[in-house]
Amino acid sequence: MPPDWPEYRGEPLRLGVLASGKGSNFTAIVQAIGAGKLPAIVTGVVYNNPEAPVRERAKEAGVPCALINHRDYPDRESFDAAIVQTLQRWGAEWVIMAGWMRQATTVLLEPFGSRILNIHPSLLPSFPGTRAVEQALAAGVKITGCTVHRVILAVDQGPIIAQAAVPVLPGDTVATLHARIQEQEHRLYPPAILWAAVQE
Ligand code: GAR
């Protein structure tokens, strides 16, 4: 069952997206905006990996994008400071982590408060961190899924906004299971962003 959409009467949300990889969640968000379901504007996408396919997706969608490569910074704080500067230049009011594989510091968290969201490919608090899908398979769980949560300093431990369950099927590999989790992520993230906004 697709998740419900809350009623929202405010100004369009100004979203700054952080992505490290493929960008399919970014595209799901852009499509939900285009379909008139998510009242929001993607002000820009920051990506940290020069090879990340999300760059092409952003270009196709006509969304500004900026490469901020963590390898160019001496520490996580100065990396986050560069991200904050870019997001603020774009006028972003929300930070949407969509496959963002860097750990946030207070430098990124403080300016945006509770307006930082992440999507994670497990039913948190199970299987935090990297390799969540691999961990779920190794543990032999019969149901896993995905979680949208607010970001706090402790990795993958912020307040949960929404979750979707995905059954683990016999013969599943990390790839097949992750593909089905991603289908749910794409349905879950856009309405969860709006739920986070109405919960403020
Ligand atoms: C998603 O499955 C997301 O849940 C995961 O990375 C993938 C990004 O896909 N995030 C994490 O593992 C964060 N710890 P995408 O680039 O196609 O949106």
Side-chain angles (χ1 to χ4, degrees):
M1 209 173 82
D4 291 336
W5 288 84
E7 206 168 304
Y8 174 80
R9 298 189 186 283
E11 293 292 311
L13 307 173
R14 296 185 61 81
L15 312 178
V17 173
L18 306 185
S20 299
K22 204 165 56 161
S24 68
N25 279 288
F26 160 75
T27 298
I29 291 164
V30 167
Q31 286 176 349
I33 294 170
K37 291 181 175 171
L38 178 60
I41 297 161
V42 179
T43 61
V45 181
V46 170
Y47 63 106
N48 65 310
N49 166 11
E51 310 299 327
V54 69
R55 175 173 170 266
E56 288 309 313
R57 288 180 182 251
K59 279 190 175 168
E60 281 163 22
V63 172
C65 59
L67 171 65
I68 302 181
N69 190 336
H70 56 282
R71 296 170 194 88
D72 295 338
Y73 296 84
D75 50 37
R76 292 196 289 133
E77 285 75 12
S78 54
F79 172 59
D80 278 357
I83 293 169
V84 169
Q85 197 179 34
T86 300
L87 293 172
Q88 288 178 338
R89 179 161 48 81
W90 286 334
E93 292 170 350
W94 288 79
V95 181
I96 306 298
M97 295 181 172
W100 183 246
M101 298 305 180
R102 308 302 300 173
Q103 200 177 325
T105 68
T106 53
V107 173
L108 176 58
L109 299 182
E110 274 174 6
F112 293 96
S114 62
R115 293 183 166 190
I116 310 189
L117 306 180
N118 180 45
I119 189 153
H120 183 78
S122 76
L123 292 175
L124 291 172
S126 292
F127 313 122
T130 54
R131 300 171 190 264
V133 181
E134 202 176 310
Q135 287 181 59
L137 265 185
V141 296
K142 301 301 175 203
I143 296 174
T144 183
C146 50
T147 303
V148 175
H149 64 94
R150 295 188 200 269
V151 177
I152 61 171
L153 209 48
V155 176
D156 297 332
Q157 289 179 45
I160 291 172
I161 305 289
Q163 291 184 308
V166 175
V168 180
L169 302 180
D172 254 339
T173 63
V174 172
T176 60
L177 180 56
H178 197 180
R180 288 204 316 288
I181 291 172
Q182 287 226 290
E183 282 174 24
Q184 294 307 313
E185 289 185 337
H186 303 156
R187 298 167 79 191
L188 187 69
Y189 212 174
I193 292 169
L194 210 53
W195 279 111
V198 299
Q199 282 171 10
E200 288 212 309

